[in-house]
Amino acid sequence: MSGRLPLLEDLGEVRGKRVLVRLDLNVPLVLEPSGRRVVADDFRIRAALPTLTWLLNRGARVTACTHLGRPAGAPDPRYDVEPVRALLSEMIPGVRLLENLRFSPGEKKDDPAFVASLVEGQDLYVNDAFGVCHRADASVVGPPRFLPCAAGRLVQREVEQLGRLIEDPERPFVVVIGGAKVADKLGLLDALAARADRLLIGGAMAFTFTQALGFDPGASLVDPSKLELCKALLAKTDNILLPVDFVAAGPAVELRPDSGIPEPWGRERARETLDDIRICGRSIPEGWKGYDIGPATTEMFCHVISDAGAVLWNGPMGVFEDGRFAAGTKAVAQAVAACAGRTVIGGGDSVAAVNRYGLSERIDHVSTGGGASLALLEHGDLLGLAALRESPFTAVLDEGRAAR
Ligand code: ADP
Ligand code: MG
């Protein structure tokens, strides 16, 4: 990362200035029986408050903008920001919220005309939308070309916390990776393998690795296209710890996410017995699927985590949505929460897991951006951050500082 990230303090006097603030208010919505859409979780709105308060308290005139859901580049009543606007104005009055950015086809294309319409009439730009900082969207990379700009508090905190893990992690630095998508996370694993003291691999990810070592994954999730890359990674690093046992399920077992939603009436139950879930070694029987790390692995992983100076955790250790396969994820979540070192969690499902076990308060940093946090850890930088640093207005700021 070259150059310094401009922060709110770098904006100078903001009183009376019109400030465009890019936020990530992509909150989950629920449909009430009346047909009204309401915000189901205000986490992202709360996360935006420090920056908005900072600006309003100093007399700035704030226009906020966000995307919401995935409309196809055209207005769509299912995705208008009205429910977000209503709650935002209750939580913090005085902020104007623009309509869903993704109603314009120009947003996803970084279209110059759309950027021009966004910055028109604005004096300053603040990016506090960490979750989209890895995207070349118009509202993320466009305005810094035309306005003095800064990172908001949320982006600042993410960069500080994740940046320390990349640049100067406390030792031993333990990385725990799980979840389902090997293809998405191999680049990250590769980048972290060199920096971490220990890399613990669980979740469905583990089976492409155990297969690379010659063990039979049974019917577990593997990504055959990544076998060679996993072999290469195992060959060049000696700090990867793979599971030594798994909780596996036979063909009769159906996954049952315990979401609290009752099962539909009349649905036939799988004819599974207690014998259909078993603990296996590294090889999984034919037709069986590994759904969680086993007890020996769990103990080993928790032991390594307990001694860590810093822990980064991304991706659950198993199908934790189904209570029968949640033990590994829960134990790892508890070990991370209990660790005396600095603890960072990123990734939508891992964050959902710590929330489910009520442990998020005991984690030092829970990252708000799944894809963005992985991209920052992998590449050390994000397009949206580079746009702020490389803005012509930021350069002027730095020259001024050097001259003084
Ligand atoms: P995150 O959002 O934390 O980055 P991912 O999206 O990569 O994590 O993966 C989360 C999903 O992986 C969960 O829905 C979980 O059920 C699934 N998963 C974890 N372990 C397994 C497994 N052994 N087999 C199948 N799915 C798994
Ligand atoms: Mg996920």
Side-chain angles (χ1 to χ4, degrees):
M1 225 189 264
S2 64
R4 200 183 58 94
L5 191 66
L7 305 177
L8 293 178
E9 287 72 14
D10 295 308
L11 292 173
E13 178 62 71
V14 299
R15 182 163 304 279
K17 297 263 177 71
R18 289 157 303 182
V19 187
L20 175 69
V21 186
R22 173 54 157 113
L23 299 173
D24 176 3
L25 302 182
N26 185 25
V27 292
L29 299 175
V30 286
L31 207 54
E32 285 191 334
S34 67
R36 203 168 67 106
R37 292 173 308 141
V38 293
V39 175
D41 183 350
D42 65 359
F43 167 69
R44 288 204 160 114
I45 304 182
R46 277 185 282 122
L49 296 181
T51 294
L52 296 175
T53 311
W54 193 93
L55 289 166
L56 291 173
N57 283 350
R58 285 163 183 75
R61 292 153 63 190
V62 177
T63 299
C65 58
T66 183
H67 67 289
L68 183 64
R70 290 169 183 259
D76 180 334
R78 291 173 301 171
Y79 298 113
D80 73 50
V81 298
E82 201 41 55
V84 182
R85 193 179 274 148
L87 187 55
L88 180 68
S89 71
E90 254 173 54
M91 290 167 73
I92 186 162
V95 175
R96 188 165 79 99
L97 180 64
L98 299 182
E99 189 45 276
N100 193 342
L101 290 162
R102 291 189 187 165
F103 280 4
S104 305
E107 167 66 356
K108 294 300 296 175
K109 292 185 215 147
D110 185 19
D111 174 37
F114 185 56
V115 175
S117 74
L118 285 174
V119 299
E120 199 198 320
Q122 302 291 341
D123 301 307
L124 302 167
Y125 168 75
V126 171
N127 181 350
D128 211 18
F130 184 71
V132 289
C133 276
H134 58 317
R135 307 214 180 274
D137 294 353
S139 63
V140 177
V141 294
R145 297 181 200 126
F146 302 100
L147 299 174
C149 56
R153 289 295 189 243
L154 183 65
V155 167
Q156 179 185 348
R157 182 170 154 76
E158 293 276 7
V159 170
E160 279 165 8
Q161 289 286 333
L162 299 174
R164 261 166 75 195
L165 287 187
I166 311 171
E167 279 149 28
D168 189 20
E170 298 85 345
R171 304 279 175 183
F173 176 26
V174 175
V175 174
V176 190
I177 302 274
K181 297 160 284 181
V182 197
D184 286 6
K185 296 184 185 177
L186 255 186
L188 175 73
L189 278 175
D190 198 27
L192 289 174
R195 294 190 219 117
D197 297 293
R198 281 262 180 255
L199 211 61
L200 314 181
I201 300 181
M205 304 263 303
F207 297 106
T208 310
F209 282 93
T210 53
Q211 187 171 20
L213 286 179
F215 295 94
D216 190 343
S220 310
L221 210 62
V222 289
D223 185 342
S225 72
K226 297 292 175 235
L227 262 180
E228 290 309 313
L229 279 173
C230 288
K231 276 186 197 161
L233 189 59
L234 287 169
K236 76 174 179 191
T237 38
D238 54 6
N239 54 5
I240 293 180
L241 277 185
L242 291 175
V244 292
D245 61 349
F246 294 100
V247 179
V253 175
E254 261 182 59
L255 287 176
R256 275 188 255 132
D258 43 10
S259 58
I261 300 165
E263 299 212 1
W265 292 107
R267 190 171 127 198
E268 211 181 310
R269 282 256 172 194
R271 278 181 289 268
E272 61 187 62
T273 68
L274 282 178
D275 263 355
D276 284 318
I277 295 177
R278 273 189 230 150
I279 293 162
C280 308
R282 278 190 167 165
S283 286
I284 309 288
E286 196 187 333
W288 285 53
K289 293 177 179 161
Y291 280 142
D292 194 9
I293 54 174
T297 306
T298 303
E299 199 187 319
M300 169 174 85
F301 281 11
C302 291
H303 179 72
V304 173
I305 292 166
S306 69
D307 287 335
V311 182
L312 167 68
W313 178 26
N314 171 277
M317 296 291 102
V319 184
F320 75 101
E321 299 92 335
D322 182 324
R324 298 169 298 173
F325 308 107
T329 302
K330 185 171 183 183
V332 161
Q334 285 167 335
V336 174
C339 174
R342 194 161 61 93
T343 53
V344 177
I345 297 189
D349 293 290
S350 354
V351 173
V354 262
N355 285 337
R356 169 179 282 226
Y357 307 126
L359 296 168
S360 53
E361 299 289 304
R362 293 167 60 196
I363 308 296
D364 292 308
H365 181 63
V366 177
S367 181
T368 51
S373 40
L374 297 189
L376 179 57
L377 290 164
E378 180 176 347
H379 305 294
D381 201 3
L382 299 173
L383 292 169
L385 305 176
L388 296 173
R389 291 196 319 269
E390 287 157 17
S391 159
F393 301 91
T394 305
V396 167
L397 200 82
D398 283 340
E399 279 157 28
R401 197 172 284 116
R404 253 177 277 137

